Short mmCIF file of all heavy atoms in Angstrom, two decimals:
data_model
loop_
_atom_site.label_atom_id
_atom_site.label_comp_id
_atom_site.label_asym_id
_atom_site.label_seq_id
_atom_site.Cartn_x
_atom_site.Cartn_y
_atom_site.Cartn_z
N MET C 1 -57.76 94.40 -10.38
CA MET C 1 -56.53 93.63 -10.43
C MET C 1 -55.36 94.52 -10.01
O MET C 1 -55.26 95.66 -10.42
CB MET C 1 -56.31 93.12 -11.86
CG MET C 1 -55.18 92.11 -11.94
SD MET C 1 -54.96 91.58 -13.65
CE MET C 1 -53.25 91.91 -13.83
N LEU C 2 -54.50 93.96 -9.20
CA LEU C 2 -53.34 94.70 -8.71
C LEU C 2 -52.13 94.39 -9.59
O LEU C 2 -51.82 93.23 -9.82
CB LEU C 2 -53.05 94.29 -7.26
CG LEU C 2 -51.84 94.94 -6.62
CD1 LEU C 2 -52.14 96.41 -6.31
CD2 LEU C 2 -51.45 94.23 -5.35
N LEU C 3 -51.52 95.45 -10.08
CA LEU C 3 -50.32 95.28 -10.90
C LEU C 3 -49.18 96.03 -10.23
O LEU C 3 -49.25 97.24 -10.06
CB LEU C 3 -50.57 95.83 -12.32
CG LEU C 3 -49.46 95.60 -13.33
CD1 LEU C 3 -49.29 94.11 -13.58
CD2 LEU C 3 -49.80 96.28 -14.64
N LEU C 4 -48.18 95.31 -9.84
CA LEU C 4 -47.05 95.89 -9.13
C LEU C 4 -45.87 96.03 -10.09
O LEU C 4 -45.36 95.04 -10.59
CB LEU C 4 -46.68 94.96 -7.97
CG LEU C 4 -46.07 95.60 -6.73
CD1 LEU C 4 -47.00 96.63 -6.13
CD2 LEU C 4 -45.78 94.52 -5.72
N PHE C 5 -45.49 97.29 -10.39
CA PHE C 5 -44.35 97.47 -11.28
C PHE C 5 -43.43 98.54 -10.72
O PHE C 5 -43.82 99.33 -9.85
CB PHE C 5 -44.80 97.81 -12.70
CG PHE C 5 -45.61 99.07 -12.81
CD1 PHE C 5 -44.98 100.27 -13.07
CD2 PHE C 5 -46.98 99.05 -12.65
CE1 PHE C 5 -45.71 101.44 -13.17
CE2 PHE C 5 -47.73 100.21 -12.75
CZ PHE C 5 -47.08 101.40 -13.01
N GLY C 6 -42.21 98.56 -11.20
CA GLY C 6 -41.25 99.55 -10.72
C GLY C 6 -39.93 99.46 -11.45
O GLY C 6 -39.82 98.83 -12.50
N LEU C 7 -38.94 100.13 -10.87
CA LEU C 7 -37.59 100.14 -11.44
C LEU C 7 -36.61 99.56 -10.43
O LEU C 7 -36.77 99.73 -9.23
CB LEU C 7 -37.15 101.57 -11.77
CG LEU C 7 -37.80 102.24 -12.97
CD1 LEU C 7 -37.34 103.67 -13.07
CD2 LEU C 7 -37.47 101.49 -14.24
N LYS C 8 -35.60 98.89 -10.95
CA LYS C 8 -34.59 98.30 -10.10
C LYS C 8 -33.23 98.60 -10.72
O LYS C 8 -33.06 98.45 -11.94
CB LYS C 8 -34.82 96.79 -10.02
CG LYS C 8 -33.84 96.07 -9.14
CD LYS C 8 -34.15 94.58 -9.18
CE LYS C 8 -33.17 93.82 -8.34
NZ LYS C 8 -33.38 92.37 -8.44
N THR C 9 -32.29 99.04 -9.92
CA THR C 9 -30.94 99.29 -10.42
C THR C 9 -30.05 98.11 -10.04
O THR C 9 -29.98 97.71 -8.89
CB THR C 9 -30.38 100.58 -9.81
OG1 THR C 9 -31.25 101.65 -10.14
CG2 THR C 9 -29.00 100.89 -10.35
N VAL C 10 -29.41 97.56 -11.06
CA VAL C 10 -28.54 96.40 -10.87
C VAL C 10 -27.10 96.81 -11.15
O VAL C 10 -26.80 97.35 -12.22
CB VAL C 10 -28.96 95.24 -11.80
CG1 VAL C 10 -28.03 94.04 -11.62
CG2 VAL C 10 -30.39 94.84 -11.54
N LEU C 11 -26.22 96.57 -10.17
CA LEU C 11 -24.80 96.87 -10.35
C LEU C 11 -24.07 95.58 -10.66
O LEU C 11 -24.32 94.55 -10.04
CB LEU C 11 -24.22 97.49 -9.09
CG LEU C 11 -24.71 98.88 -8.74
CD1 LEU C 11 -24.15 99.30 -7.39
CD2 LEU C 11 -24.29 99.88 -9.78
N ARG C 12 -23.15 95.65 -11.62
CA ARG C 12 -22.40 94.46 -11.99
C ARG C 12 -20.94 94.86 -12.22
O ARG C 12 -20.66 95.80 -12.96
CB ARG C 12 -22.99 93.87 -13.28
CG ARG C 12 -22.41 92.52 -13.66
CD ARG C 12 -23.28 91.86 -14.71
NE ARG C 12 -23.25 92.60 -15.98
CZ ARG C 12 -22.68 92.13 -17.09
NH1 ARG C 12 -22.12 90.95 -17.11
NH2 ARG C 12 -22.70 92.84 -18.20
N ALA C 13 -20.05 94.15 -11.56
CA ALA C 13 -18.62 94.42 -11.74
C ALA C 13 -18.14 93.70 -12.99
O ALA C 13 -18.46 92.54 -13.21
CB ALA C 13 -17.84 93.94 -10.53
N LEU C 14 -17.40 94.43 -13.81
CA LEU C 14 -16.86 93.87 -15.04
C LEU C 14 -15.36 93.65 -14.85
O LEU C 14 -14.76 94.25 -13.97
CB LEU C 14 -17.12 94.83 -16.22
CG LEU C 14 -18.59 95.13 -16.50
CD1 LEU C 14 -18.69 96.21 -17.55
CD2 LEU C 14 -19.30 93.88 -16.97
N PRO C 15 -14.74 92.79 -15.65
CA PRO C 15 -13.30 92.59 -15.51
C PRO C 15 -12.53 93.89 -15.69
O PRO C 15 -12.81 94.66 -16.62
CB PRO C 15 -12.95 91.62 -16.65
CG PRO C 15 -14.24 91.01 -17.05
CD PRO C 15 -15.32 91.96 -16.70
N GLY C 16 -11.61 94.16 -14.79
CA GLY C 16 -10.83 95.40 -14.84
C GLY C 16 -9.80 95.39 -15.95
O GLY C 16 -9.45 94.36 -16.49
N ARG C 17 -9.35 96.60 -16.31
CA ARG C 17 -8.36 96.75 -17.38
C ARG C 17 -7.28 97.71 -16.90
O ARG C 17 -7.53 98.60 -16.11
CB ARG C 17 -9.02 97.35 -18.63
CG ARG C 17 -10.09 96.52 -19.23
CD ARG C 17 -9.58 95.49 -20.15
NE ARG C 17 -8.78 96.12 -21.21
CZ ARG C 17 -8.23 95.46 -22.19
NH1 ARG C 17 -8.39 94.18 -22.27
NH2 ARG C 17 -7.51 96.08 -23.10
N HIS C 18 -6.08 97.53 -17.43
CA HIS C 18 -5.01 98.49 -17.18
C HIS C 18 -5.12 99.59 -18.22
O HIS C 18 -5.19 99.30 -19.41
CB HIS C 18 -3.64 97.81 -17.27
CG HIS C 18 -3.26 97.10 -16.01
ND1 HIS C 18 -3.78 95.87 -15.69
CD2 HIS C 18 -2.45 97.46 -15.00
CE1 HIS C 18 -3.28 95.50 -14.52
NE2 HIS C 18 -2.47 96.44 -14.08
N SER C 19 -5.16 100.81 -17.77
CA SER C 19 -5.14 101.93 -18.71
C SER C 19 -4.65 103.18 -17.98
O SER C 19 -4.49 103.18 -16.76
CB SER C 19 -6.52 102.16 -19.33
OG SER C 19 -7.39 102.73 -18.41
N LEU C 20 -4.43 104.22 -18.76
CA LEU C 20 -3.90 105.47 -18.22
C LEU C 20 -5.04 106.25 -17.56
O LEU C 20 -6.06 106.51 -18.18
CB LEU C 20 -3.29 106.28 -19.37
CG LEU C 20 -2.41 107.46 -18.99
CD1 LEU C 20 -1.10 106.96 -18.36
CD2 LEU C 20 -2.09 108.28 -20.22
N CYS C 21 -4.83 106.62 -16.29
CA CYS C 21 -5.84 107.40 -15.57
C CYS C 21 -5.73 108.86 -15.99
O CYS C 21 -4.64 109.41 -16.06
CB CYS C 21 -5.62 107.25 -14.07
SG CYS C 21 -6.71 108.28 -13.08
N ARG C 22 -6.90 109.49 -16.23
CA ARG C 22 -6.88 110.89 -16.66
C ARG C 22 -6.66 111.85 -15.49
O ARG C 22 -6.39 113.01 -15.68
CB ARG C 22 -8.16 111.23 -17.41
CG ARG C 22 -9.39 111.33 -16.53
CD ARG C 22 -10.51 112.01 -17.24
NE ARG C 22 -11.36 111.04 -17.92
CZ ARG C 22 -12.60 111.30 -18.29
NH1 ARG C 22 -13.12 112.48 -18.09
NH2 ARG C 22 -13.33 110.40 -18.89
N TYR C 23 -6.80 111.35 -14.25
CA TYR C 23 -6.64 112.21 -13.08
C TYR C 23 -5.23 112.17 -12.53
O TYR C 23 -4.62 113.20 -12.30
CB TYR C 23 -7.65 111.83 -11.99
CG TYR C 23 -9.08 111.99 -12.44
CD1 TYR C 23 -9.82 110.88 -12.83
CD2 TYR C 23 -9.66 113.25 -12.49
CE1 TYR C 23 -11.13 111.03 -13.27
CE2 TYR C 23 -10.96 113.40 -12.93
CZ TYR C 23 -11.69 112.29 -13.31
OH TYR C 23 -12.98 112.44 -13.75
N CYS C 24 -4.70 110.93 -12.27
CA CYS C 24 -3.37 110.84 -11.67
C CYS C 24 -2.28 110.56 -12.70
O CYS C 24 -1.10 110.64 -12.37
CB CYS C 24 -3.36 109.79 -10.55
SG CYS C 24 -3.70 108.12 -11.10
N GLY C 25 -2.67 110.21 -13.93
CA GLY C 25 -1.68 110.01 -14.99
C GLY C 25 -0.89 108.72 -14.88
O GLY C 25 0.12 108.56 -15.56
N GLN C 26 -1.34 107.80 -14.03
CA GLN C 26 -0.64 106.53 -13.85
C GLN C 26 -1.29 105.45 -14.71
O GLN C 26 -2.50 105.45 -14.91
CB GLN C 26 -0.69 106.09 -12.38
CG GLN C 26 -0.07 107.06 -11.40
CD GLN C 26 1.44 107.14 -11.56
OE1 GLN C 26 2.11 106.12 -11.63
NE2 GLN C 26 1.96 108.35 -11.65
N TYR C 27 -0.46 104.50 -15.18
CA TYR C 27 -0.96 103.37 -15.93
C TYR C 27 -1.24 102.24 -14.94
O TYR C 27 -0.34 101.48 -14.58
CB TYR C 27 0.07 102.94 -16.99
CG TYR C 27 -0.45 101.93 -17.96
CD1 TYR C 27 -1.26 102.31 -19.02
CD2 TYR C 27 -0.12 100.59 -17.82
CE1 TYR C 27 -1.75 101.38 -19.92
CE2 TYR C 27 -0.61 99.64 -18.72
CZ TYR C 27 -1.42 100.05 -19.76
OH TYR C 27 -1.90 99.13 -20.65
N VAL C 28 -2.46 102.19 -14.44
CA VAL C 28 -2.82 101.23 -13.39
C VAL C 28 -4.14 100.54 -13.72
O VAL C 28 -4.82 100.89 -14.68
CB VAL C 28 -2.95 101.92 -12.00
CG1 VAL C 28 -1.60 102.37 -11.49
CG2 VAL C 28 -3.92 103.06 -12.05
N GLU C 29 -4.50 99.57 -12.88
CA GLU C 29 -5.75 98.82 -13.03
C GLU C 29 -6.95 99.77 -12.85
O GLU C 29 -7.00 100.55 -11.91
CB GLU C 29 -5.79 97.72 -11.97
CG GLU C 29 -7.11 97.01 -11.82
CD GLU C 29 -7.15 95.67 -12.54
OE1 GLU C 29 -6.08 95.14 -12.86
OE2 GLU C 29 -8.25 95.18 -12.77
N GLN C 30 -7.92 99.66 -13.76
CA GLN C 30 -9.15 100.44 -13.68
C GLN C 30 -10.31 99.48 -13.44
O GLN C 30 -10.46 98.51 -14.18
CB GLN C 30 -9.38 101.21 -14.98
CG GLN C 30 -8.22 102.08 -15.43
CD GLN C 30 -8.02 103.31 -14.60
OE1 GLN C 30 -8.97 103.97 -14.23
NE2 GLN C 30 -6.78 103.62 -14.28
N HIS C 31 -11.08 99.73 -12.40
CA HIS C 31 -12.24 98.88 -12.10
C HIS C 31 -13.43 99.36 -12.91
O HIS C 31 -13.73 100.55 -12.93
CB HIS C 31 -12.57 98.94 -10.61
CG HIS C 31 -11.45 98.50 -9.74
ND1 HIS C 31 -11.05 97.19 -9.66
CD2 HIS C 31 -10.62 99.19 -8.93
CE1 HIS C 31 -10.03 97.10 -8.82
NE2 HIS C 31 -9.75 98.30 -8.37
N LEU C 32 -14.10 98.42 -13.57
CA LEU C 32 -15.25 98.76 -14.39
C LEU C 32 -16.52 98.26 -13.72
O LEU C 32 -16.54 97.20 -13.11
CB LEU C 32 -15.13 98.10 -15.76
CG LEU C 32 -13.99 98.60 -16.64
CD1 LEU C 32 -13.85 97.72 -17.86
CD2 LEU C 32 -14.24 100.03 -17.05
N GLU C 33 -17.57 99.06 -13.87
CA GLU C 33 -18.84 98.72 -13.25
C GLU C 33 -19.97 99.08 -14.21
O GLU C 33 -19.95 100.14 -14.82
CB GLU C 33 -18.96 99.55 -11.97
CG GLU C 33 -20.14 99.23 -11.11
CD GLU C 33 -20.14 100.14 -9.89
OE1 GLU C 33 -20.65 101.26 -10.01
OE2 GLU C 33 -19.62 99.73 -8.86
N GLU C 34 -20.93 98.18 -14.32
CA GLU C 34 -22.09 98.43 -15.16
C GLU C 34 -23.29 98.67 -14.27
O GLU C 34 -23.54 97.92 -13.34
CB GLU C 34 -22.35 97.22 -16.06
CG GLU C 34 -23.52 97.42 -16.99
CD GLU C 34 -23.92 96.11 -17.65
OE1 GLU C 34 -24.51 95.26 -16.95
OE2 GLU C 34 -23.64 95.95 -18.83
N ARG C 35 -24.02 99.72 -14.56
CA ARG C 35 -25.22 100.06 -13.78
C ARG C 35 -26.41 100.01 -14.74
O ARG C 35 -26.49 100.82 -15.66
CB ARG C 35 -25.05 101.46 -13.19
CG ARG C 35 -26.18 101.93 -12.33
CD ARG C 35 -25.91 103.34 -11.90
NE ARG C 35 -24.84 103.37 -10.92
CZ ARG C 35 -25.03 103.54 -9.61
NH1 ARG C 35 -26.24 103.74 -9.16
NH2 ARG C 35 -24.03 103.55 -8.79
N ALA C 36 -27.31 99.06 -14.51
CA ALA C 36 -28.45 98.89 -15.42
C ALA C 36 -29.74 99.17 -14.67
O ALA C 36 -29.94 98.67 -13.57
CB ALA C 36 -28.46 97.48 -15.98
N SER C 37 -30.61 99.96 -15.27
CA SER C 37 -31.94 100.22 -14.72
C SER C 37 -32.91 99.27 -15.39
O SER C 37 -33.05 99.30 -16.61
CB SER C 37 -32.36 101.65 -14.97
OG SER C 37 -31.53 102.53 -14.26
N LYS C 38 -33.57 98.45 -14.59
CA LYS C 38 -34.47 97.45 -15.16
C LYS C 38 -35.91 97.73 -14.75
O LYS C 38 -36.18 98.08 -13.61
CB LYS C 38 -34.07 96.06 -14.68
CG LYS C 38 -32.69 95.67 -15.20
CD LYS C 38 -32.36 94.25 -14.91
CE LYS C 38 -30.97 93.90 -15.37
NZ LYS C 38 -30.91 93.41 -16.73
N PHE C 39 -36.81 97.57 -15.70
CA PHE C 39 -38.23 97.70 -15.44
C PHE C 39 -38.72 96.37 -14.88
O PHE C 39 -38.44 95.32 -15.43
CB PHE C 39 -38.97 98.04 -16.74
CG PHE C 39 -40.45 98.19 -16.57
CD1 PHE C 39 -40.97 99.36 -16.06
CD2 PHE C 39 -41.30 97.16 -16.92
CE1 PHE C 39 -42.33 99.51 -15.90
CE2 PHE C 39 -42.67 97.30 -16.75
CZ PHE C 39 -43.19 98.47 -16.25
N THR C 40 -39.42 96.41 -13.73
CA THR C 40 -39.86 95.16 -13.10
C THR C 40 -41.37 95.11 -12.98
O THR C 40 -42.04 96.13 -12.85
CB THR C 40 -39.26 95.03 -11.68
OG1 THR C 40 -39.73 96.11 -10.87
CG2 THR C 40 -37.75 95.04 -11.69
N VAL C 41 -41.90 93.92 -13.06
CA VAL C 41 -43.31 93.64 -12.79
C VAL C 41 -43.33 92.55 -11.72
O VAL C 41 -42.73 91.49 -11.92
CB VAL C 41 -44.05 93.18 -14.07
CG1 VAL C 41 -45.49 92.81 -13.74
CG2 VAL C 41 -44.03 94.29 -15.11
N PHE C 42 -43.96 92.85 -10.61
CA PHE C 42 -43.95 91.96 -9.43
C PHE C 42 -42.52 91.58 -9.05
O PHE C 42 -42.23 90.42 -8.78
CB PHE C 42 -44.81 90.70 -9.68
CG PHE C 42 -46.27 91.00 -9.77
CD1 PHE C 42 -46.93 90.95 -10.98
CD2 PHE C 42 -46.99 91.36 -8.64
CE1 PHE C 42 -48.27 91.26 -11.07
CE2 PHE C 42 -48.34 91.66 -8.72
CZ PHE C 42 -48.99 91.61 -9.93
N PHE C 43 -41.64 92.57 -9.08
CA PHE C 43 -40.23 92.45 -8.68
C PHE C 43 -39.41 91.56 -9.61
O PHE C 43 -38.29 91.19 -9.30
CB PHE C 43 -40.09 91.96 -7.23
CG PHE C 43 -40.86 92.81 -6.25
CD1 PHE C 43 -42.03 92.35 -5.69
CD2 PHE C 43 -40.41 94.09 -5.93
CE1 PHE C 43 -42.75 93.13 -4.81
CE2 PHE C 43 -41.12 94.88 -5.05
CZ PHE C 43 -42.30 94.41 -4.48
N ILE C 44 -39.96 91.19 -10.75
CA ILE C 44 -39.21 90.38 -11.72
C ILE C 44 -38.75 91.31 -12.84
O ILE C 44 -39.58 91.97 -13.48
CB ILE C 44 -40.10 89.25 -12.30
CG1 ILE C 44 -40.56 88.33 -11.17
CG2 ILE C 44 -39.34 88.46 -13.37
CD1 ILE C 44 -41.69 87.41 -11.54
N PRO C 45 -37.42 91.39 -13.10
CA PRO C 45 -36.92 92.25 -14.18
C PRO C 45 -37.45 91.79 -15.53
O PRO C 45 -37.34 90.62 -15.88
CB PRO C 45 -35.39 92.09 -14.11
CG PRO C 45 -35.11 91.46 -12.79
CD PRO C 45 -36.33 90.69 -12.39
N ILE C 46 -38.04 92.72 -16.28
CA ILE C 46 -38.62 92.40 -17.58
C ILE C 46 -37.67 92.83 -18.70
O ILE C 46 -37.34 92.06 -19.58
CB ILE C 46 -40.00 93.07 -17.77
CG1 ILE C 46 -40.94 92.63 -16.63
CG2 ILE C 46 -40.59 92.74 -19.12
CD1 ILE C 46 -41.26 91.15 -16.58
N PHE C 47 -37.25 94.11 -18.66
CA PHE C 47 -36.30 94.57 -19.67
C PHE C 47 -35.44 95.69 -19.10
O PHE C 47 -35.80 96.32 -18.10
CB PHE C 47 -36.99 95.02 -20.97
CG PHE C 47 -37.97 96.14 -20.79
CD1 PHE C 47 -37.54 97.46 -20.89
CD2 PHE C 47 -39.30 95.88 -20.57
CE1 PHE C 47 -38.43 98.49 -20.73
CE2 PHE C 47 -40.21 96.90 -20.42
CZ PHE C 47 -39.77 98.22 -20.50
N THR C 48 -34.30 95.91 -19.74
CA THR C 48 -33.36 96.94 -19.32
C THR C 48 -33.74 98.26 -19.96
O THR C 48 -33.89 98.34 -21.18
CB THR C 48 -31.93 96.55 -19.71
OG1 THR C 48 -31.63 95.28 -19.15
CG2 THR C 48 -30.92 97.57 -19.21
N MET C 49 -33.93 99.30 -19.13
CA MET C 49 -34.32 100.61 -19.65
C MET C 49 -33.10 101.46 -20.00
O MET C 49 -33.11 102.17 -20.99
CB MET C 49 -35.18 101.34 -18.62
CG MET C 49 -36.52 100.68 -18.43
SD MET C 49 -37.56 101.59 -17.32
CE MET C 49 -37.96 103.02 -18.30
N SER C 50 -32.08 101.41 -19.17
CA SER C 50 -30.87 102.17 -19.48
C SER C 50 -29.67 101.44 -18.90
O SER C 50 -29.79 100.64 -17.98
CB SER C 50 -30.95 103.58 -18.91
OG SER C 50 -30.88 103.54 -17.51
N ARG C 51 -28.52 101.73 -19.48
CA ARG C 51 -27.30 101.08 -19.07
C ARG C 51 -26.20 102.14 -19.03
O ARG C 51 -26.05 102.90 -19.97
CB ARG C 51 -26.95 100.00 -20.10
CG ARG C 51 -26.13 98.86 -19.56
CD ARG C 51 -25.87 97.88 -20.67
NE ARG C 51 -27.06 97.19 -21.17
CZ ARG C 51 -27.44 95.98 -20.74
NH1 ARG C 51 -26.75 95.37 -19.82
NH2 ARG C 51 -28.50 95.41 -21.23
N ALA C 52 -25.47 102.20 -17.92
CA ALA C 52 -24.39 103.17 -17.80
C ALA C 52 -23.15 102.45 -17.27
O ALA C 52 -23.25 101.45 -16.57
CB ALA C 52 -24.79 104.28 -16.84
N TYR C 53 -21.99 102.97 -17.65
CA TYR C 53 -20.74 102.37 -17.23
C TYR C 53 -19.94 103.37 -16.42
O TYR C 53 -19.96 104.57 -16.71
CB TYR C 53 -19.93 101.92 -18.46
CG TYR C 53 -20.65 100.89 -19.27
CD1 TYR C 53 -21.38 101.25 -20.38
CD2 TYR C 53 -20.61 99.55 -18.90
CE1 TYR C 53 -22.07 100.31 -21.13
CE2 TYR C 53 -21.29 98.60 -19.63
CZ TYR C 53 -22.01 98.98 -20.76
OH TYR C 53 -22.68 98.05 -21.48
N ARG C 54 -19.22 102.87 -15.42
CA ARG C 54 -18.41 103.73 -14.57
C ARG C 54 -17.05 103.09 -14.40
O ARG C 54 -16.92 101.89 -14.25
CB ARG C 54 -19.10 103.89 -13.23
CG ARG C 54 -18.67 105.13 -12.48
CD ARG C 54 -19.64 105.50 -11.43
NE ARG C 54 -19.75 104.45 -10.42
CZ ARG C 54 -20.48 104.55 -9.33
NH1 ARG C 54 -21.19 105.62 -9.13
NH2 ARG C 54 -20.53 103.58 -8.45
N ILE C 55 -16.03 103.92 -14.41
CA ILE C 55 -14.67 103.44 -14.28
C ILE C 55 -14.06 104.08 -13.03
O ILE C 55 -14.26 105.25 -12.77
CB ILE C 55 -13.86 103.76 -15.58
CG1 ILE C 55 -12.48 103.15 -15.53
CG2 ILE C 55 -13.77 105.25 -15.85
CD1 ILE C 55 -11.80 103.17 -16.89
N THR C 56 -13.39 103.26 -12.21
CA THR C 56 -12.77 103.74 -10.98
C THR C 56 -11.29 103.39 -11.01
O THR C 56 -10.92 102.24 -11.24
CB THR C 56 -13.42 103.08 -9.75
OG1 THR C 56 -14.83 103.27 -9.82
CG2 THR C 56 -12.90 103.70 -8.46
N CYS C 57 -10.46 104.38 -10.75
CA CYS C 57 -9.01 104.19 -10.74
C CYS C 57 -8.60 103.51 -9.43
O CYS C 57 -9.05 103.91 -8.35
CB CYS C 57 -8.32 105.54 -10.88
SG CYS C 57 -6.54 105.43 -10.80
N SER C 58 -7.76 102.47 -9.53
CA SER C 58 -7.33 101.77 -8.32
C SER C 58 -6.22 102.53 -7.59
O SER C 58 -5.93 102.25 -6.43
CB SER C 58 -6.85 100.36 -8.66
OG SER C 58 -5.71 100.44 -9.48
N ASN C 59 -5.63 103.52 -8.23
CA ASN C 59 -4.55 104.30 -7.60
C ASN C 59 -5.11 105.50 -6.84
O ASN C 59 -4.84 105.66 -5.66
CB ASN C 59 -3.56 104.75 -8.68
CG ASN C 59 -2.38 105.47 -8.08
OD1 ASN C 59 -1.80 105.01 -7.11
ND2 ASN C 59 -2.03 106.61 -8.65
N CYS C 60 -5.91 106.34 -7.51
CA CYS C 60 -6.39 107.57 -6.86
C CYS C 60 -7.86 107.48 -6.46
O CYS C 60 -8.34 108.32 -5.70
CB CYS C 60 -6.16 108.78 -7.76
SG CYS C 60 -7.09 108.75 -9.30
N GLY C 61 -8.60 106.50 -6.96
CA GLY C 61 -10.00 106.32 -6.56
C GLY C 61 -10.98 107.24 -7.26
O GLY C 61 -12.16 107.24 -6.93
N GLN C 62 -10.51 108.01 -8.23
CA GLN C 62 -11.42 108.91 -8.97
C GLN C 62 -12.34 108.09 -9.86
O GLN C 62 -11.93 107.12 -10.47
CB GLN C 62 -10.61 109.90 -9.81
CG GLN C 62 -9.99 111.01 -9.02
CD GLN C 62 -11.00 112.04 -8.55
OE1 GLN C 62 -12.10 112.17 -9.09
NE2 GLN C 62 -10.65 112.76 -7.50
N ARG C 63 -13.60 108.52 -9.94
CA ARG C 63 -14.58 107.84 -10.77
C ARG C 63 -14.97 108.72 -11.93
O ARG C 63 -15.05 109.93 -11.80
CB ARG C 63 -15.83 107.52 -9.97
CG ARG C 63 -15.66 106.41 -9.00
CD ARG C 63 -16.94 106.16 -8.30
NE ARG C 63 -16.78 105.03 -7.40
CZ ARG C 63 -17.60 104.76 -6.41
NH1 ARG C 63 -18.63 105.53 -6.21
NH2 ARG C 63 -17.40 103.74 -5.63
N SER C 64 -15.24 108.09 -13.05
CA SER C 64 -15.81 108.82 -14.17
C SER C 64 -16.73 107.89 -14.94
O SER C 64 -16.57 106.68 -14.90
CB SER C 64 -14.72 109.39 -15.08
OG SER C 64 -13.84 108.38 -15.46
N SER C 65 -17.71 108.48 -15.60
CA SER C 65 -18.65 107.67 -16.37
C SER C 65 -18.10 107.46 -17.77
O SER C 65 -17.34 108.27 -18.29
CB SER C 65 -20.02 108.34 -16.41
OG SER C 65 -19.90 109.66 -16.85
N LEU C 66 -18.50 106.36 -18.35
CA LEU C 66 -18.05 105.98 -19.69
C LEU C 66 -19.27 105.80 -20.58
O LEU C 66 -20.29 105.29 -20.14
CB LEU C 66 -17.32 104.65 -19.63
CG LEU C 66 -15.82 104.59 -19.41
CD1 LEU C 66 -15.38 103.16 -19.42
CD2 LEU C 66 -15.08 105.36 -20.45
N SER C 67 -19.12 106.19 -21.84
CA SER C 67 -20.18 105.93 -22.80
C SER C 67 -20.02 104.49 -23.30
O SER C 67 -19.03 103.82 -23.02
CB SER C 67 -20.09 106.90 -23.97
OG SER C 67 -18.88 106.68 -24.65
N LYS C 68 -20.98 104.02 -24.05
CA LYS C 68 -20.91 102.66 -24.61
C LYS C 68 -19.72 102.57 -25.57
O LYS C 68 -19.03 101.55 -25.61
CB LYS C 68 -22.22 102.34 -25.34
CG LYS C 68 -22.47 100.87 -25.47
CD LYS C 68 -23.86 100.61 -25.95
CE LYS C 68 -24.14 99.11 -25.91
NZ LYS C 68 -25.50 98.79 -26.27
N GLN C 69 -19.46 103.64 -26.32
CA GLN C 69 -18.34 103.65 -27.26
C GLN C 69 -17.02 103.61 -26.50
O GLN C 69 -16.08 102.91 -26.90
CB GLN C 69 -18.38 104.91 -28.15
CG GLN C 69 -19.44 104.88 -29.23
CD GLN C 69 -20.82 105.24 -28.70
OE1 GLN C 69 -20.97 105.79 -27.62
NE2 GLN C 69 -21.85 104.91 -29.46
N GLY C 70 -16.93 104.35 -25.39
CA GLY C 70 -15.73 104.36 -24.57
C GLY C 70 -15.48 103.00 -23.96
O GLY C 70 -14.35 102.55 -23.84
N MET C 71 -16.56 102.32 -23.61
CA MET C 71 -16.47 100.98 -23.04
C MET C 71 -15.93 100.00 -24.08
O MET C 71 -15.08 99.16 -23.77
CB MET C 71 -17.89 100.59 -22.61
CG MET C 71 -17.98 99.39 -21.77
SD MET C 71 -17.14 99.61 -20.24
CE MET C 71 -17.01 97.89 -19.83
N LYS C 72 -16.41 100.12 -25.32
CA LYS C 72 -15.95 99.24 -26.40
C LYS C 72 -14.48 99.50 -26.70
O LYS C 72 -13.71 98.57 -26.93
CB LYS C 72 -16.79 99.46 -27.67
CG LYS C 72 -18.11 98.76 -27.63
CD LYS C 72 -18.87 99.00 -28.92
CE LYS C 72 -20.26 98.40 -28.83
NZ LYS C 72 -21.11 98.86 -29.92
N ALA C 73 -14.08 100.77 -26.67
CA ALA C 73 -12.68 101.13 -26.94
C ALA C 73 -11.76 100.57 -25.86
O ALA C 73 -10.65 100.13 -26.15
CB ALA C 73 -12.54 102.65 -27.02
N LEU C 74 -12.24 100.54 -24.63
CA LEU C 74 -11.44 100.03 -23.52
C LEU C 74 -11.33 98.51 -23.58
O LEU C 74 -10.34 97.93 -23.13
CB LEU C 74 -12.07 100.47 -22.21
CG LEU C 74 -11.14 100.54 -20.99
CD1 LEU C 74 -10.14 101.67 -21.19
CD2 LEU C 74 -11.93 100.76 -19.73
N ALA C 75 -12.34 97.85 -24.12
CA ALA C 75 -12.36 96.39 -24.17
C ALA C 75 -11.39 95.85 -25.20
O ALA C 75 -11.04 94.68 -25.18
CB ALA C 75 -13.78 95.91 -24.46
N ARG C 76 -10.95 96.68 -26.15
CA ARG C 76 -10.02 96.22 -27.20
C ARG C 76 -8.64 95.96 -26.68
O ARG C 76 -8.20 96.53 -25.73
CB ARG C 76 -9.97 97.25 -28.32
CG ARG C 76 -11.04 96.97 -29.34
CD ARG C 76 -10.88 97.88 -30.52
NE ARG C 76 -12.17 98.53 -30.76
CZ ARG C 76 -12.31 99.82 -31.06
NH1 ARG C 76 -11.28 100.59 -31.16
NH2 ARG C 76 -13.50 100.34 -31.24
ZN1 LIG Z 1 -5.95 107.64 -10.97
#
């Protein structure tokens, strides 16, 4: 029997937030992005193995990763 399994990375844009950028020091819109690694069987996502968040400044374009706690703090 042939079993086809693998990993798939799914990118999802989240609603942006205004916050202070740590690089340029401006209070501007920050783009949020969720990157999820999913375990697939026959190319169908079964479960999420890991989840990471990334924030991009709309002023200077610098990117930094966010922890789940940092993401929750930003959502408030
Ligand atoms: Zn910036």
